[in-house]
Amino acid sequence: GHLGLSDQAIDLETANNIDLTFRKTQGDIGFILNAFYNQVDNYYYQIDTGLFAESGHDHSDEEEGADEHDHSSELPVYLFKTGDVILHGFEAQIAWQLTDEFKVDLFSDYVRARLKDGGDLPRTPPLRFGSELSYQTDKLSAHIHVTRYQKQDRTAPQETATDGYTLVDASISYDLSVLNQDMSVYLRGTNLTDTEARVHSSFVKDIAPRPGRSFALGIRGYF
């Protein structure tokens, strides 16, 4: 294929947005609910052309009529494109102070990103929701965090769907004083279920998933 620069003038983005927010911050239960609707003309985004930059090797020795070629050593070519788009979705967070020590947080967010004339924008994050249970005293704090990412199958041309996954993280820390120095000992675990997780919005999701199960033990000093 051949790619060339366009002489066409660059059009500025024009956006018309509506945001609605409802929040409560007093009492044992608080929440923030936000809904939005954005209409953007001349929105700039990157598309996958399906082409790859030349790697300098010779294809002449390949079998004639071969349908596939290994592009693992080549760089994919992306182009910036404009279009009129509609973005709408929501963000929600609820915090419930069960007791003086225990607290529960629930959250979710979602965005639907589509072209006005039909089609989906690339690398749009999927619906996400989760919860966090926290325990807090003067010296001890502990948290367990569960987040669910739904499958994303609203994809642009040349883009693949991404399976959903659930991540479980936990941490515990204890504050202490050593030689009049405030310190904290902590143990943190991420992706405790060792789930294979790929970020849909990443350009390298197919070759670089999120890290697997890991643990960290450390001491933190406060100065």
Side-chain angles (χ1 to χ4, degrees), residues 37-170:
Y37 183 92
N38 302 335
Q39 181 175 312
V40 187
D41 296 335
N42 301 317
Y43 181 85
Y44 281 79
Y45 60 98
Q46 280 182 293
I47 61 169
D48 186 352
T49 64
L51 303 176
F52 292 82
E54 293 183 359
S55 62
H57 63 272
D58 187 3
H59 289 192
S60 60
D61 294 335
E62 295 180 358
E63 294 184 7
E64 187 174 345
D67 294 329
E68 295 185 359
H69 172 65
D70 182 11
H71 295 289
S72 60
S73 62
E74 300 175 338
L75 293 176
V77 177
Y78 288 83
L79 290 181
F80 280 97
K81 188 176 181 180
T82 62
D84 298 338
V85 306
I86 294 175
L87 311 171
H88 58 87
F90 67 87
E91 298 172 337
Q93 183 175 3
I94 301 174
W96 183 9
Q97 191 71 45
L98 298 172
T99 66
D100 290 341
E101 295 84 15
F102 284 100
K103 178 183 176 183
V104 174
D105 288 283
L106 305 174
F107 63 90
S108 181
D109 51 57
Y110 173 73
V111 60
R112 175 76 173 95
R114 57 188 173 90
L115 293 165
K116 242 176 130 177
D117 295 334
D120 300 296
L121 288 178
R123 293 175 302 283
T124 301
L127 170 67
R128 182 184 69 152
F129 56 89
S131 63
E132 181 180 30
L133 176 63
S134 303
Y135 177 80
Q136 182 75 52
T137 64
D138 291 339
K139 297 289 187 180
L140 180 68
S141 65
H143 307 270
I144 182 167
H145 195 146
V146 180
T147 306
R148 172 65 186 178
Y149 295 81
Q150 292 293 85
K151 178 180 180 180
Q152 180 57 285
D153 54 9
R154 297 182 183 271
T155 57
Q158 305 293 337
E159 186 181 25
T160 59
T162 304
D163 292 335
Y165 54 90
T166 301
L167 295 180
V168 180
D169 304 326

